[in-house]
Amino acid sequence: MSAAVLSPPSTRNRTEAPRRPASSSALALVASLLGFTVITIDVTAVNIALPDIRDTLHGGMAGLQWVVDAYTLMFAALMLSAGALADRAGARRAYAWGVGLFTLASLACALAPGIGALIAARVAQGAGAAVVMPASLALIRQAYDDPRRRARAIALWTVGGSAAVAVGPVLGGVLTESAGWRSVFLLNLPVGAVILVLLARTTRSPRRPAPLDLAGQVTAVLTLAGLAFAVIEGGHLGWTSAPVLAAFAVALGSGFAFYAAEKRHAAPMVPLGLLRQRQVGVALAVGFAVNAGFYGVTFLLGLYYQQLRGMSGVEAGLMFVPLAVFITGTNLVSPRAAERFGRRRVIVLGQAVLALAMFALVPLGADTPLWLVLLLLVPTGLGGAFCVPALTAQLMDSVPGERAGTASGLLNSLRQTGGAMSVALFGALLAGSGGDSGGDSGFSLSGMHTGLVVVGLTLCVTTALAAWLLPRD
C-alpha cells in the first residue's frame, strides 16, 4: 500500500495559467485522479499477489522484497526532482511521460519471464510513478483558477487515493485468483490509455525554467539502492558477507557524494539549510518512522494471511478493507482535531498509537482468532492517518512559501524510503530459519515479532522527538 495517500503533498508556487474551459478542467481532474489511483492500486494489489509471484517465478523472500522495494525506492529517490521536471516540461507533458512510462513498464511486468526481469520492470514503474505523483497534482492546480474549486478538486484527488487503498487488496486478490498475478499489471494498460486520451483533450500546461540537480539525483538513487541491497541481502547472505559490506560501502560513499553535490549546486534539490531546521528534521524523521510502520505491516500481513494462515488471495485482500476504512475516516477527522487540540498533540498522539499498534501485533501467531487480528489492526489504521495530515501542515508552516514544493517532495521521499527500508527489514527477518518458520512457507514468526518490536521502538523515539522539539501550539 502506498502511504502517500494519507495526505496530498503540497505543490510548488507557480504563476497561474490562463483560465481554462470547464470541460478541460474536468478532463484534467479525471486524468489526474485516474493516475493517482492506479499507482496506489498497483502497490496494494501487488502485495496480495506476492505469494503467487513466488510460486511462479521462484524468487524466494529476497525476490519478493525486491519486487516491492524496486518500485518504492525509485519512487522515493526520483520524487526529489520530479517536481522540477514537471515545471520544466509543463505539468501535462510530464504527466503524459510518467503515465506512458508506467504503462509500458506494467506491460513489461506482466510479460516478465523471471524474477530479475520483473524487478527491472518494477524499477521503471517506480520511475514513472515518481513523475505521475507531483505532476498529477500540478495539473489540477493549473486546471482550476478558483481556489475553492481547486480545493474541492484536490479533495477528490485525495479521496481517490484513499479508495484505492481499500480496492487494491481486494482487486489484487480477485485478479490473482482468477487470472494469475500477471493480470494485476495488465489492468494498468487500458487505464493508462484512457489517461493519455484524456490528456490529449486538455489545455497545454505552461512551462517555467527549473534547474535539475543530476549529480544529487544519481547519488541519491545509489545511496538508497545500496542501503536497501545491504538490508535485504544481509538477512540471506549474512551481514558480514562481501556483497553486503560492499553495498554498505556504496551507500556510505554515495551519501557523502550526495552531501557534497548538494553543498556545491547552485539550486540543489535538497537544500542543506532546510535540513538544519529543527522542525523540518523532526517532521522528516516522523514521516520516515510512520511509513516504516505502515508499509511494514502491510507487507507483513499480505504474507501472514496467505503463507501462514492459508488464506486465498481474495480472502487476504478482504482482510485489508477494515484497515482502509479506518484510514479514510481518520483522514477526515485529523485536520479538525489539529485545529482544536494543536498539531503537535495530534502528531505525538498519532505516533504513540501507531507504536502501540506495533507492540500489540507482536503476539500474533498462526492460530490467533481472525477477529482479534482485525481488532489489533484498528490502531494501525488510526495512528498513521491521524498523524500524517497534521505533520504535512506543520512542515509547510515551517518553511518559506517558495520552499513548499521542495519540502513536500522531501517529506514524501523520506516517507517512501521509510516504507522501503521497513520492507527490507521485515523480509530479511521473515526469512530467518528456525522451527517456527511455518513449515515450507519460509515465514518466521520470531522474525515477524522482532521486526514489529524494532519498528515500534523507532516510533517511540520519533514520538519523543516530536513531543520535545516541535513547538507548542
Side-chain angles (χ1 to χ4, degrees), residues 224-458:
L224 293 180
L227 187 57
F229 182 93
V231 176
I232 289 175
E233 299 299 336
H236 304 275
L237 302 178
W239 297 103
T240 58
S241 64
V244 171
L245 292 178
F248 274 126
V250 168
L252 184 62
S254 299
F256 280 115
F258 175 80
Y259 175 83
E262 299 308 275
K263 190 174 181 179
R264 295 175 183 175
H265 201 282
M269 62 182 186
V270 181
L272 299 179
L274 202 63
L275 299 180
R276 298 189 190 102
Q277 297 180 29
R278 182 179 65 183
Q279 295 182 42
V280 173
V282 171
L284 297 179
V286 171
F288 179 95
V290 167
N291 262 41
F294 200 85
Y295 266 83
V297 167
T298 304
F299 174 77
L300 168 73
L301 290 179
L303 298 175
Y304 168 80
Y305 289 139
Q306 296 180 78
Q307 292 188 201
L308 207 61
R309 303 296 298 246
M311 290 184 177
S312 67
V314 176
E315 291 170 334
L318 290 172
M319 291 292 289
F320 283 95
V321 173
L323 181 64
V325 170
F326 277 109
I327 291 171
T328 304
T330 307
N331 264 326
L332 300 176
V333 174
S334 176
R336 297 181 181 179
E339 290 180 5
R340 180 171 181 179
F341 302 108
R343 292 173 185 162
R344 174 176 166 274
R345 291 179 180 176
V346 169
I347 293 170
V348 170
L349 179 60
Q351 286 187 93
V353 170
L354 190 57
L356 289 175
M358 298 299 104
F359 296 125
L361 290 170
V362 169
L364 284 187
D367 299 321
T368 304
L370 288 179
W371 66 266
L372 182 57
V373 176
L374 291 174
L375 182 63
L376 293 175
L377 283 176
V378 171
T380 302
L382 294 178
F386 195 62
C387 172
V388 171
L391 178 69
T392 305
Q394 178 68 40
L395 178 64
M396 292 301 99
D397 283 352
S398 302
V399 299
E402 64 272 16
R403 293 293 192 190
T406 301
S408 175
L410 188 56
L411 175 61
N412 279 285
S413 178
L414 262 291
R415 288 171 59 192
Q416 294 294 330
T417 302
M421 292 300 106
S422 181
V423 168
L425 174 65
F426 271 111
L429 294 171
L430 288 178
S433 60
D436 64 341
S437 61
D440 297 329
S441 68
F443 190 101
S444 169
L445 277 174
S446 63
M448 177 183 75
H449 300 157
T450 301
L452 288 167
V453 170
V454 170
V455 175
L457 290 175
T458 302

Side-chain angles (χ1 to χ4, degrees), residues 106-161:
S106 297
L107 177 60
C109 288
L111 299 177
I115 196 70
L118 177 58
I119 292 169
R122 288 285 282 170
V123 170
Q125 261 197 323
V131 178
V132 167
M133 180 76 170
S136 66
L137 199 55
L139 192 66
I140 293 175
R141 183 182 177 90
Q142 293 172 2
Y144 290 90
D145 300 307
D146 180 69
R148 291 186 178 181
R149 294 183 63 208
R150 184 189 304 150
R152 288 195 293 267
I154 292 175
L156 286 174
W157 181 86
T158 308
V159 169

Side-chain angles (χ1 to χ4, degrees), residues 167-244:
V167 172
V170 179
L171 186 60
V174 171
L175 289 174
T176 302
E177 289 289 313
S178 60
W181 62 267
R182 297 179 191 275
S183 62
V184 173
F185 297 106
L186 289 173
L187 179 66
N188 298 333
L189 273 59
V191 178
V194 169
I195 293 173
L196 293 176
V197 170
L198 293 174
L199 284 177
R201 301 180 61 186
T202 61
T203 305
R204 181 174 299 177
S205 300
R207 306 184 196 182
R208 76 172 181 84
L212 292 177
D213 182 4
L214 294 180
Q217 184 62 83
V218 171
T219 52
V221 171
L222 288 175
T223 300
L224 293 180
L227 187 57
F229 182 93
V231 176
I232 289 175
E233 299 299 336
H236 304 275
L237 302 178
W239 297 103
T240 58
S241 64
V244 171

